[in-house]
Amino acid sequence: MDQAQIEIRVIESLSQIAADEWDACACPEAETGGRPIDPFTTHRFLSALEQSGSVGRGTGWQPQYLTAYLDGQLIACAPLYAKSHSQGEYIFDHNWAHAYERAGGRYYPKLQIAVPFTPVTGRRFLVRPGYEAIGQSALVQGAVQIAADNNLSSLHVTFCTRDEAEAGAQMGLMVRLTQQFHWLNRDYTDFDAFLGSLSSRKRKAIRKERAQANDFGGTIHLLTGDDLRPDHWEAFWHFYQDTGARKWGQPYLTREFFDIAQEILRDDIALIMAQRDGRWVAGALNLIGRDTLFGRYWGCVEQHPCLHFELCYYRAIDLAIAQGLKRVEAGAQGEHKLARGYMPTRTHSLHWVADQGFAKAIAHYLEAERGALDEEIEVLTEYGPFRKSNLEEQQ
């Protein structure tokens, strides 16, 4: 198939493309029903970010959605953004920016293929089935050409799949490895079966934490789909604001995002909320994929011992087991997750840098970083909570 036949277009709003056309590339597995592998690259999720003003003018995330057409048919697309900073990415390149600018370069704006504010592994090169190789190639070449034509410093593809990282490397992009902590479902029948795979000391510690958490004087509720109501989102907005102010300086998502989520995303969402004396006091927001539960946000207006662990980690495991999900991804960073059964897992990103000298320096840095990461994962895995036989299964 002739690559020259493919037409690359950039659109600045998803309102310019039909949802079923985008989703035929983003989540073809959901076309006949069922959940997408992950909801984050669906038309509805990305549109919610855009319509709510969470991305767009003034946010530093300017949509430049990349599309590839063959004979008038969309065969591939990607959530591409022009970035004026490095906030909300979770693959940290601040040091790269500082070094480049100290040397007299201009790092921003840059291009980013990513789901904003979402450190979740998933496909970033969204390709209609049957066009995988040519679609991926067209998107990479198109994005690099846009960066080069506009004299931009770099292109970054964050939290892509391992297969995409390998394909990107073959196309000349640099691969970066980072890590998160994920929980894997080994066909556990219930939470006690999971506990049975842990060492005695860790098992007792988790039971003690759960007992403390559930003794907070209230009740815990799992809310999804039509169980979700506007008052749940009003409460959660206060939780989210508090966490955002402490971690990022200001929240990434707007209040309107949660109103839109109620309308078009509620079937993708599992909200775990704690209520005491008739008042919502804490909550954890998860999104549900085909075989993975994705933990995204947590917040509270009252502090209670271990309630964070219960809502974010243990109730997520309960839900994954109940729904037969294979994995829980609990977000970025957090070595405290290790003791709770969430094991270190490699994540992948791809990078292209225009300045060849700077690109060579970054390549050396990434090679050293990979070696350090491999050692860290080996040590962390050894210190995990699983019994020896089960640890070998986890590896």
Side-chain angles (χ1 to χ4, degrees):
M1 193 177 295
D2 186 359
Q3 187 82 18
Q5 296 175 329
I6 296 178
E7 179 186 2
I8 298 293
R9 305 177 194 169
V10 173
I11 59 175
E12 296 185 353
S13 172
L14 282 183
S15 63
Q16 298 174 244
I17 189 169
D20 59 352
E21 192 176 8
W22 179 277
D23 286 346
C25 299
C27 54
E29 69 279 358
E31 184 177 5
T32 57
R35 297 188 182 278
I37 291 174
D38 76 76
F40 298 105
T41 54
T42 61
H43 191 280
R44 60 183 177 271
F45 186 87
L46 295 172
S47 292
L49 292 176
E50 185 184 325
Q51 293 169 21
S52 68
S54 300
V55 301
R57 188 179 300 275
T59 68
W61 289 84
Q62 189 61 41
Q64 303 283 292
Y65 306 109
L66 193 62
T67 61
Y69 288 84
L70 180 65
D71 297 329
Q73 181 187 48
L74 181 71
I75 64 163
C77 53
L80 177 67
Y81 299 85
K83 291 295 306 297
S84 60
H85 54 63
S86 292
Q87 302 301 317
E89 297 171 11
Y90 301 94
I91 300 293
F92 301 113
D93 64 347
H94 300 88
N95 289 339
W96 300 2
H98 294 157
Y100 194 57
E101 290 174 356
R102 282 197 302 270
R106 183 185 178 200
Y107 195 75
Y108 304 107
K110 62 178 183 174
L111 290 182
Q112 191 95 12
I113 295 178
V115 180
F117 331 123
T118 306
V120 166
T121 292
R123 292 190 309 135
R124 297 296 177 258
F125 305 125
L126 312 176
V127 181
R128 189 182 292 267
Y131 297 92
E132 286 81 3
I134 193 170
Q136 282 190 354
S137 178
L139 291 173
V140 170
Q141 291 183 39
V144 168
Q145 191 64 52
I146 290 168
D149 288 348
N150 289 277
N151 295 317
L152 303 181
S153 70
S154 52
L155 164 71
H156 310 268
V157 185
T158 45
F159 294 102
C160 61
T161 66
R162 180 176 178 175
D163 288 345
E164 287 176 327
E166 291 174 353
Q170 292 177 359
M171 287 184 270
L173 303 184
M174 294 180 287
V175 178
R176 187 176 190 182
L177 295 182
T178 48
Q179 74 167 8
Q180 291 182 342
F181 294 86
H182 298 172
W183 179 86
L184 301 180
N185 188 353
R186 302 295 180 182
D187 296 322
Y188 300 119
T189 54
D190 54 26
F191 195 89
D192 280 341
F194 158 62
L195 288 181
S197 68
L198 306 182
S199 67
S200 175
R201 183 170 61 86
K202 295 297 185 181
R203 186 163 59 243
K204 290 177 182 177
I206 288 175
R207 283 181 172 145
K208 182 178 179 180
E209 282 188 348
R210 295 204 77 176
Q212 281 186 300
N214 285 281
D215 195 32
F216 77 103
T219 53
I220 297 174
H221 304 263
L222 171 63
L223 305 162
T224 188
D226 291 338
D227 294 333
L228 289 164
R229 302 190 308 270
D231 66 290
H232 298 134
W233 294 116
E234 183 62 27
F236 192 83
W237 169 245
H238 291 291
F239 306 155
Y240 175 71
Q241 278 187 301
D242 177 71
T243 301
R246 285 185 288 105
K247 285 192 173 183
W248 316 303
Q250 65 180 32
Y252 293 133
L253 300 175
T254 65
R255 176 65 181 84
E256 289 75 17
F257 175 84
F258 297 101
D259 291 334
I260 294 171
Q262 170 68 16
E263 294 300 316
I264 66 174
L265 296 174
R266 62 180 180 271
D267 289 336
D268 298 312
I269 288 172
L271 195 59
I272 302 173
M273 299 276 278
Q275 188 177 42
R276 192 173 75 90
D277 297 331
R279 177 190 185 215
W280 298 111
V281 298
L285 173 63
N286 305 268
L287 277 88
I288 311 168
R290 175 158 289 203
D291 60 11
T292 303
L293 185 68
F294 302 97
R296 289 303 305 114
Y297 299 108
W298 144 268
C300 64
V301 292
E302 291 183 4
Q303 298 291 336
H304 295 280
C306 301
L307 192 59
H308 170 234
F309 302 143
E310 178 68 15
L311 267 59
C312 292
Y313 308 139
Y314 301 140
R315 293 289 173 133
I317 290 173
D318 281 337
L319 179 57
I321 292 173
Q323 294 198 2
L325 303 177
K326 296 179 181 179
R327 170 187 304 263
V328 178
E329 294 192 17
Q333 305 171 338
E335 292 184 2
H336 61 278
K337 298 168 187 169
L338 183 68
R340 293 157 184 94
Y342 290 72
M343 298 299 288
T345 304
R346 290 172 179 82
T347 54
H348 302 79
S349 62
L350 292 164
H351 307 271
W352 173 88
V353 173
D355 184 287
Q356 291 302 300
F358 191 48
K360 186 176 181 180
I362 288 178
H364 288 311
Y365 169 82
L366 294 179
E367 183 178 0
E369 186 182 49
R370 280 193 294 272
L373 179 70
D374 288 342
E375 292 180 8
E376 182 179 2
I377 288 178
E378 183 177 353
V379 170
L380 288 172
T381 300
E382 187 68 26
Y383 278 92
F386 291 90
R387 291 187 283 112
K388 186 64 176 178
S389 59
N390 294 98
L391 178 60
E392 292 170 355
E393 292 180 11
Q394 292 284 330
Q395 295 173 303

